[in-house]
Amino acid sequence: MSSAIVEEQVVSALVKALGADAVIHEGEALAYFSNDVYRGGAAPKAVVRPADVKALQEAVRICAAAGVAMVPRGGGASYTDAYLLPEGGHVLIDTGALDTIEIDERNAVVTVGAGVTWMALKAALDAKGLRTPFWGPFSGIAATVGGSMSQNTLSHGSTAHGISAQSVLSMDVVLASGEMLSTSASSAMRFYGPDLTGLFTGDCGIFGIKARIRLPLLPVLPHFECLSFAFESFADYHAASRERPWRGWTIPTSASTLPCRKGRSAARKAWARA
């Protein structure tokens, strides 16, 4: 049986299982989904947008049974061609509809669908005076939690708390068989046995499609003070940055290096005392 016939059968099966509104298989939208921020690739055969985790599992089963490549997509701002497939003919899985947010204040854990944007998560947590340690890239208005975990993102909160992968407790991942894998037996801590969670961070979705992510919660600091420093050299700046954790300072924003009037290198940071 030709690959074209197989692809058409897969599209028909996806439409039947997920509904016509959840599957795009013709028109200009396919061209849209074949582009990342800087470059484009070949068009997918279809784009599916599962409404929930069960629909995601069913879509994966259908594609796997037919041997059709699957490529997950978050907010569409990877900058690295992460969801482009040069040869095309794949099924692109848009996780944007997996947008549930479950806040467990008592245990200081939030569980989010892979398609939740960092902006939506921040808005939900702001209302309760909470935050996650890492709280998103500069593109957080569109970037998703699942996409950031797949890309090892760094930005807001990284100086004090590390990259996105360091702020995840566990994940629920749909494997190629359609089965669900929970990466930890504990919902409140990551290192409960082997670190399976780490296996799925920075993987660009190669090992499985993220369905849900659990993150720890911190209280939003009620007060902070901003200070600005200028340094004669990068070595001086580095020495001062190294001293920060020893003095108990936290840095909620990342550093930027700016030129001074006299051509010196200046590093400006917002340093906050808890």
Side-chain angles (χ1 to χ4, degrees):
M1 187 178 297
S2 71
S3 60
I5 294 175
V6 171
E7 291 173 359
E8 290 299 334
Q9 289 179 342
V10 168
V11 170
S12 297
L14 289 169
V15 170
K16 182 178 179 179
L18 278 67
D21 292 341
V23 182
I24 299 171
H25 57 93
E26 57 187 3
E28 295 181 357
L30 291 179
Y32 170 81
F33 282 104
S34 66
N35 287 278
D36 198 351
V37 175
Y38 294 121
R39 287 168 291 274
K45 182 64 180 177
V47 177
V48 300
R49 187 179 172 91
D52 53 35
V53 175
K54 288 185 177 180
L56 170 60
Q57 290 180 275
E58 185 60 26
V60 169
R61 291 190 188 102
I62 291 170
C63 294
V68 173
M70 294 167 276
V71 178
R73 181 184 188 272
S78 78
Y79 298 89
T80 60
D81 305 344
Y83 57 87
L84 302 182
L85 193 65
E87 57 268 30
H90 56 291
V91 171
L92 188 142
I93 298 180
D94 177 6
T95 59
L98 304 177
D99 57 359
T100 58
I101 300 176
E102 302 172 18
I103 301 172
D104 182 353
E105 292 186 71
R106 181 177 181 181
N107 293 302
V109 175
V110 60
T111 302
V112 302
V116 169
T117 65
W118 288 102
M119 183 179 72
L121 178 57
K122 185 178 186 300
L125 294 177
D126 279 349
K128 297 180 178 294
L130 298 170
R131 55 164 286 189
T132 54
F134 173 85
W135 49 283
F138 290 132
S139 55
I141 190 172
T144 63
V145 177
S148 291
M149 294 305 160
S150 297
Q151 291 273 300
N152 277 348
T153 306
L154 69 150
S155 192
H156 297 302
S158 287
T159 309
H161 300 285
I163 64 174
S164 57
Q166 292 169 266
S167 286
V168 58
L169 296 172
S170 63
M171 305 180 196
D172 294 336
V173 182
V174 178
L175 304 178
S177 63
E179 296 175 288
M180 180 75 73
L181 170 67
S182 293
T183 61
S184 177
S186 171
S187 62
M189 63 183 297
R190 175 164 169 176
F191 301 103
Y192 192 84
D195 184 22
L196 292 179
T197 301
L199 181 65
F200 295 95
T201 61
D203 69 333
C204 290
I206 292 296
F207 297 141
I209 300 177
K210 294 167 184 64
R212 287 183 289 259
I213 297 102
R214 277 169 285 278
L215 305 161
L217 293 175
L218 299 172
V220 174
L221 296 178
H223 174 74
F224 69 91
E225 298 177 7
C226 295
L227 303 174
S228 180
F229 298 86
F231 301 94
E232 292 291 341
S233 68
F234 182 82
D236 292 339
Y237 156 65
H238 183 266
S241 297
R242 188 176 64 245
E243 189 175 356
R244 172 193 60 79
W246 298 346
R247 294 182 178 272
W249 295 336
T250 61
I251 305 177
T253 56
S254 57
S256 61
T257 302
L258 303 173
C260 288
R261 293 179 183 176
K262 296 181 179 181
R264 294 178 302 163
S265 171
R268 298 178 180 272
K269 283 192 175 184
W271 283 4
R273 280 190 184 274

